[in-house]
Amino acid sequence: MADMCVEQFAQEKLFHFQDIRTREQLSVKIPQLGAGTALPGLVAALCGAADVTLSDNSEFSNCLENCAKSRDANGAKNVHIVGITWGQFSPSLLQLKQVDIVLASDCFYDTKDFEDVIVTMSFLMERNPEAEIWCTYQERSADRSIEHLLQRWQLECTHIPLGTFEADSPDIGQSGLPGNHTIHMLILKKTKPG
């Protein structure tokens, strides 16, 4: 359970997290350069994950540069950056180290990309059968579904209620986003045979 607040400066945002129970605090700086903030991976690295790889679309060098600036601004030395494009089996995807957990934030944005996202996730799970993909996304339409894609690519999904970690308020993480936002968290795993 964590509390979060965000401060915005001219060229960066400073995210503050605090564990409600232990009062332990963490701050993460993110340069404001558009897409590819890498916040989930940086939080994992700063909380002690031994080896973290940040990725974004390999076709957008500014996103990868933003990941590097975020990593450097936080002194996260155990963080590598790799360009990966959903649905493309590039050398950078094929050469990824073994993974235990993949953090995917808001990757179900455009319906036309859903299968590419799921195919890449399935590939990662095939190579790392015990790994999990922890995914959050904003529901943009109740008519969109990934269920048929999960079945096709042999992935199972567990929906994690945001209330589990006290993140179910209308103003998620004190984000200040206008309107009501439905955010979902899923844990994806490879379907076990039988």
Side-chain angles (χ1 to χ4, degrees):
M1 292 182 269
D3 194 17
M4 180 180 93
C5 90
V6 180
E7 295 177 50
Q8 184 158 356
F9 301 99
Q11 294 297 315
E12 69 181 29
K13 277 188 180 177
L14 187 58
F15 293 83
H16 301 283
F17 301 89
Q18 182 174 15
D19 187 303
I20 294 170
R21 287 181 244 161
T22 67
R23 311 301 290 169
E24 197 172 352
Q25 297 182 3
L26 173 71
S27 295
V28 181
K29 296 177 196 171
I30 300 293
Q32 291 299 287
L33 301 172
T37 64
L39 182 62
L42 285 171
V43 169
L46 295 172
C47 285
D51 190 22
V52 173
T53 299
L54 304 177
S55 72
D56 209 313
N57 190 325
S58 61
E59 297 171 2
F60 301 119
S61 61
N62 63 323
C63 293
L64 297 171
E65 290 167 11
N66 195 27
C67 288
K69 288 180 180 181
S70 295
R71 175 199 58 203
D72 296 344
N74 292 282
K77 307 235 184 281
N78 60 332
V79 174
H80 313 283
I81 298 165
V82 176
I84 295 174
T85 301
W86 298 119
Q88 294 181 11
F89 293 87
S90 63
S92 58
L93 177 64
L94 298 173
Q95 295 168 5
L96 271 182
K97 298 177 186 178
Q98 181 177 351
V99 299
D100 299 313
I101 296 174
V102 174
L103 301 176
S105 178
D106 206 20
C107 57
F108 295 110
Y109 183 81
D110 192 340
T111 309
K112 71 175 179 50
D113 297 325
F114 284 10
E115 187 152 26
D116 287 342
V117 172
I118 295 292
V119 164
T120 305
M121 289 179 174
S122 180
F123 173 77
L124 289 170
M125 301 301 285
E126 193 67 38
R127 292 186 60 193
N128 304 277
E130 300 303 315
E132 297 180 343
I133 297 173
W134 297 2
C135 175
T136 59
Y137 72 95
Q138 178 181 341
E139 183 179 306
R140 290 174 173 85
S141 169
D143 296 335
R144 297 177 174 183
S145 175
I146 60 169
E147 189 64 36
H148 68 287
L149 296 172
L150 294 173
Q151 290 174 2
R152 179 181 304 155
W153 294 100
Q154 300 172 342
L155 296 175
E156 60 185 52
C157 174
T158 303
H159 184 268
I160 307 299
L162 295 183
T164 304
F165 43 91
E166 298 181 12
D168 55 350
S169 69
D171 188 27
I172 296 170
Q174 299 174 353
S175 65
L177 293 172
N180 243 348
H181 300 279
T182 302
I183 307 294
H184 296 280
M185 179 171 179
L186 311 173
I187 296 180
L188 305 177
K189 298 179 185 180
K190 194 71 177 160
T191 303
K192 301 289 184 202

